[in-house]
């Protein structure tokens, strides 16, 4: 025994996530699993069988937390194959405010506090995001790629 509890006794331990960080500050979504898909709030179809996110007018896809514990200065969103018109937004203050992003453009964030970074994508009509594949159907670009700068 150490102190009042036995060694290995986790009855008094509280597990909490303190930091989530994408490898090399790049989040890539290939739509092959639902790890970063917010299925509770999303109305768009997130299809891991076809590796697509599909939308009808007004539907929204929300990510779950992409980054936690990092105050970001800038971000850039790049997409695979997009059909239709979509609006891309980021929140880097735990969904208090959202800022519009332009694909392929490094954007300076107006507010980031390390409490959680999330994406929101909204369709104005029928739309889809697919990963980009080569002639052998191998993914060459993800559906969504978010590059983050501290």
């Amino acid at each position: 025994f150490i102190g009042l509890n036995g060694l290995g006794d986790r009855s008094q331990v509280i597990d909490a996530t303190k930091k989530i960080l994408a490898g090399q500050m790049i989040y890539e979504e290939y739509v092959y699993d639902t790890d970063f898909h917010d299925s509770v709030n999303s109305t768009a179809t997130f299809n891991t069988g076809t590796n697509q996110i599909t939308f009808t007018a007004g539907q929204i896809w929300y990510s779950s937390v992409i980054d936690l514990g990092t105050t970001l200065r800038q971000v850039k969103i790049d997409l695979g194959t997009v059909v239709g018109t979509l609006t891309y937004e980021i929140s880097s203050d735990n969904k208090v405010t959202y800022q519009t992003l332009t694909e392929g453009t490094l954007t300076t964030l107006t507010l980031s506090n390390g409490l959680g970074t999330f994406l929101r994508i909204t369709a104005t009509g029928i739309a889809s995001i697919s990963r980009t594949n080569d002639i052998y159907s191998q993914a060459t670009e993800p559906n969504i790629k978010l590059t983050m700068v501290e």
Side-chain angles (χ1 to χ4, degrees):
F1 284 92
I2 296 177
L4 300 175
N5 297 321
L7 189 60
D9 178 4
R10 294 187 45 86
S11 63
Q12 301 298 314
V13 174
I14 298 172
D15 291 322
T17 302
K18 294 183 181 181
K19 187 152 180 106
I20 296 173
L21 182 65
Q24 298 188 22
M25 299 295 290
I26 298 173
Y27 161 71
E28 293 183 332
E29 180 58 71
Y30 285 91
V31 191
Y32 61 77
D33 61 35
T34 58
D35 292 349
F36 293 95
H37 167 58
D38 178 353
S39 61
V40 173
N41 295 304
S42 293
T43 54
T45 301
F46 190 89
N47 189 325
T48 58
T50 62
N51 308 112
Q52 285 187 316
I53 306 171
T54 56
F55 303 80
T56 59
Q59 286 190 324
I60 303 171
W61 177 76
Y62 291 96
S63 73
S64 57
V65 65
I66 293 170
D67 185 85
L68 180 64
T70 309
T71 301
L72 301 174
R73 285 188 309 111
Q74 297 175 308
V75 296
K76 181 175 81 164
I77 192 168
D78 292 297
L79 300 144
T81 303
V82 175
V83 175
T85 304
L86 298 167
T87 300
Y88 315 103
E89 297 171 291
I90 190 164
S91 173
S92 195
D93 61 359
N94 199 30
K95 299 189 269 187
V96 174
T97 61
Y98 279 87
Q99 183 174 344
T100 302
L101 301 174
T102 301
E103 183 182 3
T105 301
L106 192 62
T107 302
T108 299
L109 296 176
T110 56
L111 186 57
S112 179
N113 58 17
L115 297 179
T117 298
F118 301 81
L119 284 174
R120 176 169 72 185
I121 301 175
T122 307
T124 56
I126 295 173
S128 65
I129 307 172
S130 304
R131 64 185 191 191
T132 303
N133 294 328
D134 63 17
I135 61 170
Y136 306 104
S137 298
Q138 299 299 309
T140 57
E141 293 293 329
N143 302 59
I144 303 165
K145 179 178 178 181
L146 186 72
T147 305
M148 300 169 275
V149 180
E150 287 187 81

